[in-house]
Amino acid sequence: MKVLPAAARVPVLLYHAVMDDPPDWIAEFTVTPRDFAAQLDAVVACGRTPVPVGVLAGHLVRRTPLPPRPVVLTFDDGFADLPGPTAEALAARALPATAFLTTGALTRTDTRTRTRVSGSDSDSGCLLPPAPMMTLAQATALEGYGIEVGAHTVTHPQLDTLRAPALHRELRESKSALEDALGHEVAHLAYPHGYNSRAVRRAAEAAGYASAVAVRHALSSARDEPYRIARLIVRRTHTVADIESWMAGEGARGERVEVAPFSDSAATLGWRLYRTARARVRGPEFAG
């Protein structure tokens, strides 16, 4: 396979919450507001052109032109900071982004604090552990900040372990809920924790999505697969230097990084088989 030059590699960054004191379960995948601001400044300074997922997907599906040296910023789940300080930080730098919302996590209110939380309970059935979440009604506010909205399922399960009826419900009901809230089509999907398979990708296309993002912790490219676009997950330990390395099309801290597309490894396939067998015994499990 031809090795792509660094300039042809597309960093697609995956953020979760931006907060100083996150719940323990998501802490590894959060960044502080101060670090987030510094990372965004590094993105602005790198000379890349920021675009939402829809622009990259448009190139992968229809070969519509990409701007020179694109970069994509994405946010998963829909934590409470997103339609407030996080969106404001993006807008202040004229950075478009894409937010993938877990609809079941946005429908439960703690009556004592009036904050949105997620959790496994009878009213939402969401598998996400408790955390401050935005509301479904705030999805329109995201668009006002220039943030594209995509779906991230209803309950955040390991999609590649679900039987077909449950898989189709997760994909279609989250899409429908967001379309009702926004009043227009929702065309893009993120697989919870990146878990997908050939069957999941086919189901995403059949549900009406134009693209889907995975994780893969790899750089994307102009020839990536539209139903498993590679993303780089941003952890609390990543520094501005790491962001700068990704913007240069290289690995963080000098590490080698793969460039999509590439086939699943034997370890990935084996892990999927194990999780699927476990889910047949335990039922759907949280993807995280």
Side-chain angles (χ1 to χ4, degrees):
M1 179 181 293
K2 181 181 178 181
V3 176
L4 287 177
R9 303 171 184 181
V10 182
V12 182
L13 303 191
L14 164 55
Y15 285 95
H16 288 84
V18 179
M19 60 178 72
D20 285 309
D21 189 22
D24 288 344
W25 69 272
I26 195 64
E28 179 186 358
F29 303 112
T30 67
V31 296
T32 67
R34 180 177 179 178
D35 287 345
F36 183 61
Q39 291 171 10
L40 293 186
D41 290 340
V43 171
V44 171
C46 76
R48 285 186 175 270
T49 303
V51 298
V53 162
V55 171
L56 177 58
H59 175 78
L60 298 177
V61 176
R62 300 182 300 277
R63 309 316 294 179
T64 54
L66 275 176
R69 303 183 68 240
V71 58
V72 184
L73 304 178
T74 70
F75 297 81
D76 279 9
D77 299 325
F79 291 93
D81 62 274
L82 184 57
T86 297
E88 291 165 4
L90 291 164
R93 296 164 176 82
L95 292 172
T98 301
F100 296 102
L101 306 182
T102 306
T103 55
L106 313 184
T107 56
R108 179 183 176 218
T109 303
D110 186 319
T111 56
R112 293 167 299 175
T113 65
R114 307 308 299 172
T115 56
R116 306 301 274 202
V117 299
S118 70
S120 299
D121 63 5
S122 59
D123 64 345
S124 73
C126 191
L127 298 169
L128 279 170
M133 306 299 291
M134 61 180 279
T135 69
L136 190 58
Q138 288 176 304
T140 55
L142 294 180
E143 293 189 328
Y145 283 107
I147 298 175
E148 175 183 59
V149 175
H152 197 41
T153 74
V154 178
T155 70
H156 209 281
Q158 299 177 18
L159 289 178
D160 56 346
T161 69
L162 299 183
R163 298 185 189 276
L167 171 61
H168 294 310
R169 283 195 301 271
E170 289 286 344
L171 299 180
R172 295 181 186 277
E173 290 182 9
S174 56
K175 188 176 193 293
S176 177
L178 290 169
E179 289 175 342
D180 287 346
L182 296 170
H184 61 73
E185 182 186 17
V186 169
H188 308 291
L189 169 72
Y191 306 120
H193 206 64
Y195 287 142
N196 71 95
S197 65
R198 186 175 299 173
V200 171
R201 296 191 293 273
R202 286 197 300 262
E205 184 174 11
Y209 293 102
S211 79
V213 296
V215 177
R216 316 204 86 188
H217 201 65
L219 289 158
S220 184
S221 74
R223 65 187 190 196
D224 202 352
E225 299 171 81
Y227 288 96
R228 60 169 171 180
I229 297 170
R231 294 189 290 174
L232 295 155
I233 190 166
V234 181
R235 289 179 164 83
R236 202 170 187 86
T237 52
H238 282 125
T239 66
V240 167
D242 294 325
I243 301 297
E244 291 171 339
S245 292
W246 287 337
M247 295 303 106
E250 304 296 338
R253 303 181 205 186
E255 295 177 350
R256 179 180 175 274
V257 65
E258 291 196 79
V259 181
F262 54 88
S263 300
D264 286 336
S265 67
T268 296
L269 296 174
W271 177 232
R272 182 182 303 148
L273 289 172
Y274 169 76
R275 290 184 295 100
T276 300
R278 187 175 62 188
R280 294 294 182 265
V281 177
R282 298 181 180 180
E285 294 185 300
F286 168 57

